[in-house]
Amino acid sequence: MVNTRSTPKPGESTTLWFIKFITGPILLVVAFIHVVINHYVGSIGGLLSHAEVVAYYQSWYIPIMEAIFLITVISHSLIGLRGIILDLKPSMSLMRVLDWVFVLGGAGFVVYGMWLLRAVTALGGA
Amino acid sequence: MNTSPNLFARIGRWFDPRGRSLSDYGFILNRLTALGLTLYLFLHLIVLGTLAQGPDAYGVFLEVIENPIMKFGEWLVVAAVFIHGLNGIRIGMNSLGIAVPRQRETLIVVFILSAAAILFFGWKIFLG
Amino acid sequence: MAEKWNITLVIRRQKQGQPPFDQEFKMEANPDENVIDLVERVWAFHDKTLNYAHACHHSTCGACGMRVNNVEKLTCITPVRSVVADGGTLRVDPMRNFPVISDLAVDMGELYRRMELVGHHPVNLDRKEAIQSEFRPSGPAEPGEDFIRLSDCIECGLCMSACPIVGSTGDYLGPAPLAGAHQAGVKGNPGLLELVSGVDGVWRCHSAFECTAVCPSNVDPGWRIMELRRIALAEKWKSWFSPNKSAEVRK
Ligand code: SF4
């Protein structure tokens, strides 16, 4: 049977969906830890003060966990958003532009988040 | 197929509640929470930039989020995380062929657990 | 004597190129007749210009799908008492997502083309499904004898009308064609697997399960779409770890 309907890269939908699928449970675990620590155990009505945030980032595993959180949450949300846009029947040319926006925007936010992590971690060594 | 040329009419089709079954409300909530959480994520990341600017800038941010409207927003985020996360587990299981004939019942469990979590965190945020 | 109810029937009318409007008909109804009977009475005794599709009157042809009180129903098997009370109002609209030809009659051509595209057979060739005990409790008459039976899907289009994603992107193959592809079998049919796991295939489904809720024929398209996802994921997984096989599939 000749497939004349799907996109030139027909398999990519399965791969992207799989990434969204696999990042979901990772996010649930990491987001839970992130939310509980950052919003419910600090001294300012549950929130961490600036000094507490800096102290929290001093152990080696917290920046790693937060980096995993950053990458998974950005991938999951942008792949999901892309799926929602696909549900609105965009033209192929618009979708090509949007794909670049998602890739560059997502990479930009990951770089920004990594910089922020480093900056906050470095404040503890000052 | 004959879908409306009007973008807003097409978006409206997702959220049109007339004649819907229970499972459709799972879809509607999943979509609303996905959009809300994505918006929150990027705002959150931008605002956290104040952490790098030192204690004073971060202090201003902490004061702003003590505002009751912001607290209500925080509660909405927690609600969205629970609804989207728990329903996500259900959809993920279904997509592996698990519990599909029980998708309605699992959605009811998702709603009950989400409601319990939303009430608990509402109490913590506003009264705790 | 048969019970008699007084009801108001509201029908969405639209002739091509003209704006739609609602028309009310006050009528007597036997609560045990079906909604299609009321529509036919409107045509017979009130307005000969009313257009609607119907044929078999016993849920085999799939022609009389409409929205009854906003829910997709096969009107030949929808008893009046299940959708309205005595003195109440009953609303009938054409199906969504199909072009309206006239009043309650819609153009189902695109659905039929898609069913053909996925190789849906009106006769069920899936031996495992065909020999379920409910169809032949005593088992095969002869060893090795294959059973065939009519496919469950009557191509009524109710699922295509109810699906919120078909409503926002008509390119999405939709529940009935995906269920048809599942029934036709995607394993060993790389072209079909490519189609159903492509961008307009199973990943456009977001688990509203409206299709399963409205299907009058127990096809359970929602379950079939989830099965197709499982197969697509498993095949993808295999292709990652056995590239030769995926090259074969691409050929
Ligand atoms: S799957 Fe069910 S609702 Fe959809 S066209 Fe076939 S019989 Fe009708």
Side-chain angles (χ1 to χ4, degrees):
Chain A
M1 181 178 137
V2 181
N3 171 12
T4 53
R5 285 182 50 90
S6 57
T7 56
K9 283 186 266 167
E12 70 179 353
S13 291
T14 308
T15 309
L16 279 183
W17 192 88
F18 184 73
I19 295 171
K20 191 170 71 170
F21 170 76
I22 217 72
T23 49
I26 299 173
L27 268 180
L28 277 178
V29 175
V30 189
F32 182 76
I33 300 170
H34 171 94
V35 169
V36 168
I37 292 177
N38 286 282
H39 293 251
Y40 294 102
V41 299
S43 59
I44 309 173
L47 289 164
L48 299 176
S49 67
H50 190 271
E52 284 169 332
V53 173
V54 174
Y56 167 64
Y57 279 92
Q58 294 315 303
S59 50
W60 64 269
Y61 53 88
I62 294 297
I64 293 177
M65 188 199 79
E66 294 288 343
I68 292 172
F69 182 37
L70 178 74
I71 294 168
T72 49
V73 78
I74 288 177
S75 318
H76 188 90
S77 63
L78 291 184
I79 293 171
L81 191 57
R82 182 179 183 270
I84 293 176
I85 291 170
L86 280 173
D87 290 346
L88 288 170
K89 198 180 176 181
S91 68
M92 288 293 273
S93 51
L94 174 64
M95 211 53 222
R96 264 194 290 274
V97 173
L98 285 178
D99 278 347
W100 278 108
V101 172
F102 284 133
V103 169
L104 295 177
F109 266 99
V110 169
V111 169
Y112 162 76
M114 290 294 190
W115 166 79
L116 192 58
L117 260 178
R118 234 186 86 84
V120 174
T121 311
L123 285 175
Chain B
M1 303 302 293
N2 189 38
T3 43
S4 167
N6 181 321
L7 179 68
F8 292 104
R10 297 214 297 281
I11 293 174
R13 189 65 185 77
W14 299 336
F15 306 120
D16 180 356
R18 290 173 303 162
R20 295 283 147 226
S21 67
L22 180 73
S23 308
D24 198 75
Y25 290 95
F27 158 71
I28 290 174
L29 283 173
N30 221 54
R31 184 130 293 190
L32 287 174
T33 53
L35 291 168
L37 287 172
T38 303
L39 179 68
Y40 169 78
L41 167 70
F42 291 103
L43 290 178
H44 188 60
L45 275 171
I46 292 166
V47 167
L48 281 186
T50 53
L51 270 171
Q53 292 163 22
D56 292 346
Y58 188 66
V60 173
F61 161 65
L62 286 183
E63 262 170 41
V64 171
I65 59 173
E66 276 305 303
N67 173 318
I69 296 174
M70 296 303 256
K71 280 203 168 284
F72 182 70
E74 187 190 341
W75 190 40
L76 285 184
V77 169
V78 171
V81 166
F82 274 96
I83 295 169
H84 195 87
L86 293 172
N87 196 30
I89 296 174
R90 164 180 166 264
I91 295 171
M93 279 174 18
N94 286 175
S95 301
L96 296 177
I98 302 166
V100 187
R102 289 269 164 272
Q103 59 80 20
R104 200 172 173 278
E105 290 82 347
T106 47
L107 183 63
I108 293 170
V109 172
V110 164
F111 284 159
I112 292 172
L113 291 179
S114 301
I118 291 165
L119 288 176
F120 173 74
F121 280 94
W123 169 76
K124 268 211 76 75
I125 290 169
F126 296 111
L127 306 168
Chain C
M1 226 183 70
E3 215 180 328
K4 280 278 168 265
W5 284 2
N6 288 303
I7 63 154
T8 306
L9 180 65
V10 179
I11 298 182
R12 187 72 159 172
R13 307 289 306 267
Q14 183 174 20
K15 300 296 177 193
Q16 258 177 9
Q18 291 172 24
F21 65 96
D22 290 342
Q23 193 171 7
E24 272 188 23
F25 301 92
K26 303 260 182 229
M27 58 200 310
E28 277 193 342
N30 174 346
D32 294 318
E33 62 188 338
N34 291 305
V35 173
I36 190 71
D37 301 319
L38 305 187
V39 174
E40 289 188 319
R41 266 214 310 284
V42 167
W43 173 83
F45 302 115
H46 298 272
D47 187 347
K48 282 274 195 274
T49 69
L50 177 68
N51 283 119
Y52 57 101
H54 71 110
C56 75
H57 288 84
H58 59 254
S59 73
T60 301
C61 70
C64 66
M66 296 170 199
R67 273 189 301 147
V68 178
N69 293 341
N70 285 312
V71 182
E72 282 72 8
K73 298 272 186 198
L74 208 53
T75 50
C76 66
I77 52 167
T78 303
V80 169
R81 76 162 74 244
S82 70
V83 285
V84 69
D86 190 9
T89 299
L90 179 61
R91 188 181 170 88
V92 180
D93 290 76
M95 282 198 290
R96 287 180 273 217
N97 306 333
F98 292 101
V100 172
I101 298 171
S102 177
D103 300 327
L104 300 170
V106 297
D107 179 359
M108 308 263 288
E110 180 60 20
L111 171 64
Y112 303 145
R113 274 188 290 280
R114 290 182 187 188
M115 296 308 275
E116 212 173 300
L117 179 74
V118 300
H120 175 252
H121 294 281
V123 170
N124 194 343
L125 300 178
D126 181 337
R127 187 164 191 279
K128 259 201 276 141
E129 282 200 10
I131 60 173
Q132 281 170 12
S133 53
E134 59 183 293
F135 305 115
R136 184 77 183 254
S138 56
E142 299 290 334
E145 180 198 356
D146 274 349
F147 291 133
I148 56 168
R149 67 180 182 89
L150 288 180
S151 157
D152 282 333
C153 180
I154 53 174
E155 303 188 0
C156 63
L158 293 183
C159 55
M160 303 293 276
S161 170
C163 174
I165 304 301
V166 175
S168 70
T169 169
D171 287 351
Y172 169 43
L173 278 171
L178 287 172
H182 176 257
Q183 210 157 21
V186 293
K187 284 185 186 166
N189 188 344
L192 189 55
L193 182 62
E194 190 180 291
L195 179 67
V196 302
S197 61
V199 75
D200 297 323
V202 289
W203 313 115
R204 291 273 63 67
C205 168
H206 300 286
S207 308
F209 287 102
E210 283 291 337
C211 50
T212 293
V214 301
C215 178
S217 203
N218 293 324
V219 175
D220 202 346
W223 169 76
R224 290 181 188 275
I225 291 171
M226 292 302 138
E227 282 296 297
L228 283 176
R229 278 187 170 184
R230 194 176 57 73
I231 296 166
L233 279 173
E235 293 298 315
K236 193 79 201 166
W237 188 262
K238 274 189 227 156
S239 78
W240 284 331
F241 295 102
S242 142
N244 293 344
K245 188 166 178 290
S246 72
E248 255 168 50
V249 166
R250 275 203 297 273
K251 256 190 267 167

